[in-house]
Amino acid sequence: MAVFLDAHDVAAIVNETGLESFWLRLHDYLRHDFLRWEEFDKSPRSACHFPSGVIELMPASDHAAYAFKFVNGHPGNTRRGLQTVVAFGALADVETGYPLLLADMTLATAFRTGAASALAARSLARPDSRTMAIIGLGAQSEFQACAFRVIMGVDNLRIFDIDPRAAEKFARNMARFDVSIIRCSSAEEATVDADIVTTITADKKRATVLSGNMIGAGAHINALGGDCPGKTEISRDLLLRSNIFVEYAPQTRLEGEIQQLAPDHPVTEIWETISGAKPGRRSEREITLFDGVGFAVEDFSVLRLLMDLSRETGVGQTIELVAELADPKNLFGLLQLRNNERRYA
Amino acid sequence: MAVFLDAHDVAAIVNETGLESFWLRLHDYLRHDFLRWEEFDKSPRSACHFPSGVIELMPASDHAAYAFKFVNGHPGNTRRGLQTVVAFGALADVETGYPLLLADMTLATAFRTGAASALAARSLARPDSRTMAIIGLGAQSEFQACAFRVIMGVDNLRIFDIDPRAAEKFARNMARFDVSIIRCSSAEEATVDADIVTTITADKKRATVLSGNMIGAGAHINALGGDCPGKTEISRDLLLRSNIFVEYAPQTRLEGEIQQLAPDHPVTEIWETISGAKPGRRSEREITLFDGVGFAVEDFSVLRLLMDLSRETGVGQTIELVAELADPKNLFGLLQLRNNERRYA
């Protein structure tokens, strides 16, 4: 039997664990997995493109567990009252191939994206960073704010979105957290005196949300909006002035901000920085940039955490995701044995 | 909301529909999809190999629906009382990317494999075929026997397995069907006077279950046991004497019986034969061979049928596989809204 967690179960697990503890544990699980990066089978994601959007399967595995995520990207969904991105995933036992966990990953993806950004920033932002600009106040924005509050101690937020209702939603959601929020009327105003600048707009094209004149010496840029081919947010000149860090270079060169640069432009994989094998920030005045596109190992980490927390908290249902047979060689017997069992939708 | 069908629900749908009607509808869905083969996005399967086995993701999509299957292959599982192969899959709406159906596919895979074999045999076996040898009486064997009974009118079965208990299980499961069964003491004996020979043993190596001297003029060979690199059942000389048909040549050349042949050995994709674009059997005396490895389009077909039959029969549960948000831009709101909802495993 496998455990099934829908989004409300994931929310219940977070609440049961405590939001701050959940962020810290997720950070630790991610860090643990980034430190053993080379143990993972890092298959490329399988993507199917349609006129309306994209559907992807993202697998990652180590010697003990196999994870995959189903995730879409449909920019027109908001017009229908649907989310642009939804996701679900599973964790399986490598020894038997049987699935252990099936979970909604809409919420889990948002959490792991926030925690991965903050984990990267621990090596890349100046340690005294307290002020973060957030440009783009969509579904991911509060997760970034929370992750940086808990993991990095960032408690001043300068926020901007072209839609004022997005800023209102952000302020409402963040009201219970110990952060000061300054609403700005432009991206440029938001970046003033920011130690860290997070960009995460939804525009599916080559946009310039952040250009060189907006960023001062010593800033860290947490660039999350360049996440598929043809979608970027950072000006090329600013990229060329920055020390760039990525999750997995072969994927980021296709999907991230660095698709604007030469295919051999030097970048550092963040796991090498987290492990101490390569330096992160090298000076107080350097501009660092994390070109985050999201990688399957991060989904692996959050599924592993959800599996452990489901056991600890007791939250979740068990389902027979694959047939459990009394005689494993008699699959056909299943047809006759349970004639009378019916369920109605 | 998505519909979830576990194996018992799939069995209930089959029973509710009637086994014979189910086979005929599955045949029609497969035929319909094979006839529009070129409309499908036929991504290669993504496989992760481990010392204990393999885990694969198999996607296929047309302009309306996207399907994928998670499937393992762990030869050592039977020692633990587990199945060698289990599977589950999902069907999603291409227009929005939202999942519509999640289903156990252990049973569904067995059904689609049987129906695809019988569909291929309709173009390849002699139309008057009544007698089929089945060599290898594992989990798939009854599904083959049933599919050929319903779709091809095959009512004489000559069966063999090295394990006599497998033959007993087979005879027990097939007792309610209108077929005569002759238990044979060798593969060679089973093939005597057989119009069709189905090979489906589990040996994960290059074995010779069927060699040239066992097969007479005019036979059709339904070769299912060569289904991964390094695993074949048919002797090379018999392959060279046969007119060979496959599902999708790029995949079968890696996984099927034809991995034993030169990479340019001529084969015909079965969709071309079903559509009438290329001939199937060309004479009464020709040996035809279907080198079936299973392809993602067949999973697409069976998931589509299960979706339709779930609606028709009312069998299935609805689950919130991905988060449904009142405000699609306020994912974070999910954390606070449902504080009190908890479920216990």
Side-chain angles (χ1 to χ4, degrees):
Chain A
M1 302 291 280
V3 173
F4 172 55
L5 302 174
D6 71 16
H8 309 296
D9 296 323
V10 174
I13 282 176
V14 173
N15 284 313
E16 194 84 6
T17 308
L19 187 58
E20 184 166 335
S21 299
F22 183 85
W23 278 115
L24 292 173
R25 282 192 69 172
L26 179 53
H27 168 272
D28 291 347
Y29 273 59
L30 278 169
R31 186 167 186 279
H32 176 81
D33 289 337
F34 273 104
L35 284 176
R36 59 196 190 91
W37 187 255
E38 287 165 303
E39 287 175 27
F40 283 92
D41 182 319
K42 290 174 285 289
S43 303
R45 63 175 89 189
S46 142
C48 266
H49 295 272
F50 306 102
S52 53
V54 63
I55 296 179
E56 298 178 341
L57 297 173
M58 297 169 66
S61 57
D62 66 5
H63 60 280
Y66 172 96
F68 79 88
K69 181 166 80 170
F70 166 105
V71 60
N72 78 315
H74 281 69
N77 273 2
T78 45
R79 284 197 313 270
R80 305 165 193 256
L82 297 175
Q83 297 169 84
T84 307
V85 178
V86 294
F88 66 93
L91 196 67
D93 177 15
V94 157
E95 194 58 30
T96 64
Y98 273 56
L100 303 170
L101 173 71
L102 174 76
D104 168 76
M105 289 191 72
T106 315
L107 207 48
T109 299
F111 270 105
R112 67 84 159 141
T113 303
S117 281
L119 172 62
R122 284 191 61 195
S123 314
L124 304 182
R126 296 193 321 277
D128 61 348
S129 297
R130 297 286 296 273
T131 300
M132 176 160 82
I134 305 182
I135 300 167
L137 301 171
Q140 172 63 21
S141 56
E142 299 93 342
F143 294 88
Q144 289 290 324
C146 270
F148 278 83
R149 176 71 191 87
V150 174
I151 296 164
M152 286 286 293
V154 167
D155 54 5
N156 294 303
L157 301 175
R158 302 177 62 85
I159 64 171
F160 172 70
D161 193 287
I162 48 170
D163 178 0
R165 284 169 307 180
E168 275 155 36
K169 172 215 66 164
F170 180 92
R172 202 165 53 240
N173 280 331
M174 293 302 296
R176 67 168 178 171
F177 299 101
D178 180 25
V179 288
S180 81
I181 296 172
I182 298 166
R183 292 202 206 179
C184 301
S185 54
S186 68
E188 194 151 13
E189 185 190 336
T191 61
V192 171
D193 294 330
D195 304 308
I196 299 169
V197 177
T198 290
T199 59
I200 182 150
T201 67
D203 231 352
K204 197 178 175 174
K205 59 172 192 249
R206 303 240 173 176
T208 299
V209 173
L210 214 59
S211 57
N213 61 336
M214 293 158 74
I215 297 297
H220 171 60
I221 302 165
N222 179 39
L224 304 176
D227 59 357
C228 65
K231 180 168 182 273
T232 59
E233 300 181 322
I234 310 292
S235 73
R236 192 166 178 277
D237 73 296
L238 180 52
L239 292 176
L240 293 172
R241 280 173 55 205
S242 304
N243 186 5
I244 300 175
F245 298 81
V246 302
E247 285 139 321
Y248 183 53
Q251 181 175 311
T252 312
R253 292 198 191 275
L254 297 176
E255 300 174 5
E257 296 295 340
I258 59 170
Q259 63 187 282
Q260 301 177 68
L261 303 183
D264 60 349
H265 186 89
V267 299
T268 306
E269 290 189 340
I270 193 70
W271 67 275
E272 299 176 284
T273 302
I274 294 168
S275 72
K278 292 197 180 169
R281 167 172 294 277
R282 291 169 302 192
S283 79
E284 284 289 302
R285 296 190 53 78
E286 181 174 61
I287 297 174
T288 52
L289 187 145
F290 175 58
D291 188 359
V293 299
F295 190 62
V297 170
E298 295 158 16
D299 298 314
F300 177 99
S301 306
V302 71
L303 282 172
R304 206 164 52 80
L305 175 60
L306 288 175
M307 183 84 234
D308 290 349
L309 288 177
S310 169
R311 287 189 187 121
E312 288 173 31
T313 61
V315 175
Q317 309 171 60
T318 56
I319 61 170
E320 194 174 329
L321 182 55
V322 296
E324 312 264 341
L325 302 185
D327 174 358
K329 290 187 179 174
N330 189 11
L331 180 59
F332 197 80
L334 202 63
L335 285 179
Q336 285 121 306
L337 281 170
R338 312 267 185 150
N339 261 353
N340 303 321
E341 268 196 34
R342 274 196 68 182
R343 296 194 196 159
Y344 292 85
Chain B
M1 301 291 279
V3 172
F4 172 55
L5 302 174
D6 71 16
H8 308 297
D9 296 323
V10 174
I13 281 176
V14 173
N15 283 314
E16 193 83 7
T17 308
L19 187 58
E20 184 166 335
S21 299
F22 184 84
W23 279 115
L24 292 173
R25 281 193 70 173
L26 179 53
H27 167 272
D28 292 346
Y29 274 58
L30 278 169
R31 186 167 186 278
H32 176 82
D33 289 337
F34 273 104
L35 285 175
R36 59 195 189 90
W37 188 254
E38 287 167 302
E39 288 175 26
F40 284 91
D41 184 317
K42 292 175 284 290
S43 304
R45 61 177 89 191
S46 143
C48 265
H49 295 272
F50 307 101
S52 53
V54 63
I55 296 179
E56 297 177 342
L57 297 173
M58 298 169 67
S61 57
D62 66 3
H63 59 282
Y66 172 97
F68 79 88
K69 180 166 81 171
F70 166 105
V71 59
N72 77 315
H74 281 68
N77 272 3
T78 45
R79 284 198 313 271
R80 305 165 193 256
L82 298 175
Q83 296 169 84
T84 307
V85 177
V86 294
F88 66 93
L91 197 67
D93 176 15
V94 156
E95 194 57 31
T96 64
Y98 273 57
L100 303 169
L101 173 71
L102 174 76
D104 167 76
M105 289 191 71
T106 314
L107 208 47
T109 299
F111 270 105
R112 67 82 157 144
T113 302
S117 281
L119 172 62
R122 284 191 61 195
S123 315
L124 304 182
R126 295 194 321 279
D128 61 348
S129 297
R130 297 285 296 274
T131 300
M132 177 160 81
I134 305 182
I135 301 166
L137 302 170
Q140 172 63 20
S141 56
E142 297 93 343
F143 293 89
Q144 289 291 323
C146 271
F148 277 84
R149 176 71 190 88
V150 174
I151 295 164
M152 285 286 293
V154 167
D155 53 6
N156 294 303
L157 300 175
R158 301 179 62 85
I159 64 171
F160 172 69
D161 193 287
I162 48 172
D163 178 0
R165 285 169 307 179
E168 276 155 37
K169 173 215 67 162
F170 180 91
R172 202 164 54 239
N173 281 332
M174 293 302 295
R176 67 168 177 170
F177 299 100
D178 179 26
V179 288
S180 81
I181 296 173
I182 298 165
R183 293 201 207 180
C184 301
S185 54
S186 69
E188 195 150 13
E189 185 190 338
T191 61
V192 172
D193 293 330
D195 304 307
I196 299 169
V197 178
T198 291
T199 57
I200 181 149
T201 66
D203 231 352
K204 199 180 173 172
K205 60 172 190 248
R206 302 240 174 178
T208 299
V209 172
L210 214 58
S211 57
N213 60 336
M214 294 158 75
I215 297 297
H220 171 59
I221 303 165
N222 179 40
L224 304 175
D227 60 355
C228 64
K231 179 166 181 275
T232 59
E233 300 181 321
I234 311 292
S235 74
R236 191 166 179 278
D237 73 297
L238 181 51
L239 292 177
L240 292 172
R241 281 173 54 206
S242 305
N243 186 6
I244 301 176
F245 297 81
V246 302
E247 286 139 320
Y248 183 54
Q251 181 174 310
T252 313
R253 291 199 191 276
L254 298 175
E255 300 174 6
E257 296 296 339
I258 59 170
Q259 63 187 283
Q260 302 179 67
L261 303 183
D264 60 350
H265 186 88
V267 299
T268 306
E269 289 189 340
I270 193 70
W271 67 275
E272 298 177 284
T273 302
I274 294 168
S275 72
K278 293 197 179 169
R281 167 173 294 276
R282 292 169 301 191
S283 80
E284 284 289 302
R285 295 190 54 79
E286 181 174 63
I287 297 174
T288 52
L289 187 145
F290 175 58
D291 188 359
V293 299
F295 190 64
V297 170
E298 296 158 14
D299 299 314
F300 177 98
S301 306
V302 71
L303 282 172
R304 206 163 54 79
L305 174 61
L306 289 175
M307 184 82 235
D308 290 348
L309 288 177
S310 169
R311 287 190 186 121
E312 288 173 29
T313 61
V315 175
Q317 310 170 59
T318 55
I319 61 169
E320 194 174 329
L321 182 55
V322 297
E324 311 265 341
L325 302 185
D327 174 359
K329 291 186 177 173
N330 189 11
L331 180 60
F332 197 80
L334 202 63
L335 285 179
Q336 285 119 308
L337 281 169
R338 313 267 185 150
N339 260 354
N340 302 322
E341 269 195 33
R342 275 196 68 180
R343 298 197 195 156
Y344 292 86

